Amino acid sequence: MTGPRVPLVAGVEPGAGASTLAAALHAEDAGLLGQQADVVVCRPTPESLRAAAAIACPGRGPHPVLAVTGPLPGALPAAVRTRFGAVVELPLVEHWSAAPTPDAEAADALTGPSAALLPYAEALREVVAALIGSGQLDAATPPMAIRPRPTDPWRGTRSPSPPRTRHRATADPAEPARPRSVDPAPRAPHPAEPTARTGRAPDPRPTRPVRAAGPDEDDETIELRNQLAGRAG
């Protein structure tokens, strides 16, 4: 018969303190939360607590334990308190904030803590008691704990149209009027060239219309009248 499973510790965000807590519990460090965790670690900031409140936990069975790495700014929101099996506040260890890797000292917090680590060791025992009391370490896998991913709120839908402005749209400025082309000055007419038949230029004056012959006029009368009309012109 095998003993309890090694707990899996994950943080809701980078720098939450999951690696230090995993070293103190001699647990498995999962880094950033994915889909499962026995212990979820967050910081006591509003952003980190909101991320913890949005984690999807199982509807039945044991729930993960939430460890808050620092004093809470006020009362714990109900959305956080009811989502996890237990919420444990881990006190700050001042000299750990300046240490690059406090994991080595954290690993001795349960077995032989110094005076400065006694409050931290007491909080670790609360985490261990919550894990054992829930029976989740007897299961083959940790409880479900899925961190929501940021998504586009308009994905799969039509993008909202831009708001209509109350100001009237200004018309495009009118193009300047193009200058009208001025026709060149009229040229003097060229003198008429003499015709090959008469050897003289035709008279530019308009000719009078030839009257039609009357019903009683003969050819000689018509020809004489036309000659007289030409001389008069």
Side-chain angles (χ1 to χ4, degrees):
M1 182 176 180
T2 59
R5 179 177 47 80
V6 175
L8 182 66
V9 180
V12 297
E13 58 184 348
S19 298
T20 302
L21 181 58
L25 293 174
H26 298 269
E28 181 181 354
D29 182 9
L32 194 62
L33 178 63
Q35 296 183 345
Q36 292 178 324
D38 292 297
V39 182
V40 177
V41 186
C42 74
R43 293 185 291 182
T45 60
E47 294 78 9
S48 190
L49 289 172
R50 277 196 292 266
I55 293 174
C57 296
R60 298 180 180 179
H63 286 204
V65 176
L66 179 65
V68 184
T69 56
L72 291 168
L76 192 66
V80 178
R81 185 177 63 255
T82 58
R83 191 169 297 271
F84 298 93
V87 179
V88 179
E89 181 180 326
L90 300 175
L92 287 176
V93 181
E94 295 297 337
H95 64 277
W96 280 2
S97 58
T101 53
D103 300 352
E105 187 178 3
D108 299 332
L110 282 176
T111 56
S114 60
L117 294 181
L118 286 177
Y120 189 82
E122 186 64 26
L124 289 179
R125 293 187 181 93
E126 294 183 25
V127 175
V128 173
L131 291 173
I132 296 176
S134 64
Q136 65 191 63
L137 296 181
D138 296 331
T141 58
M144 180 186 71
I146 301 176
R147 180 173 59 96
R149 297 180 180 179
T151 58
D152 182 6
W154 306 111
R155 183 178 181 182
T157 62
R158 295 182 59 185
S159 300
S161 57
R164 299 179 62 182
T165 178
R166 298 177 60 183
H167 301 285
R168 296 180 61 184
T170 57
D172 295 336
E175 296 183 359
R178 297 181 179 179
R180 298 180 60 183
S181 59
V182 180
D183 295 336
R187 299 179 181 179
H190 294 283
E193 298 180 357
T195 60
R197 183 175 181 182
T198 62
R200 61 180 179 177
D203 191 352
R205 294 175 298 175
T207 59
R208 295 183 180 181
V210 179
R211 293 179 57 184
D216 298 332
E217 294 179 346
D218 54 7
D219 295 340
E220 294 181 358
T221 304
I222 295 172
E223 183 178 0
L224 179 61
R225 180 169 50 80
N226 291 337
Q227 290 179 359
L228 292 175
R231 292 177 183 179

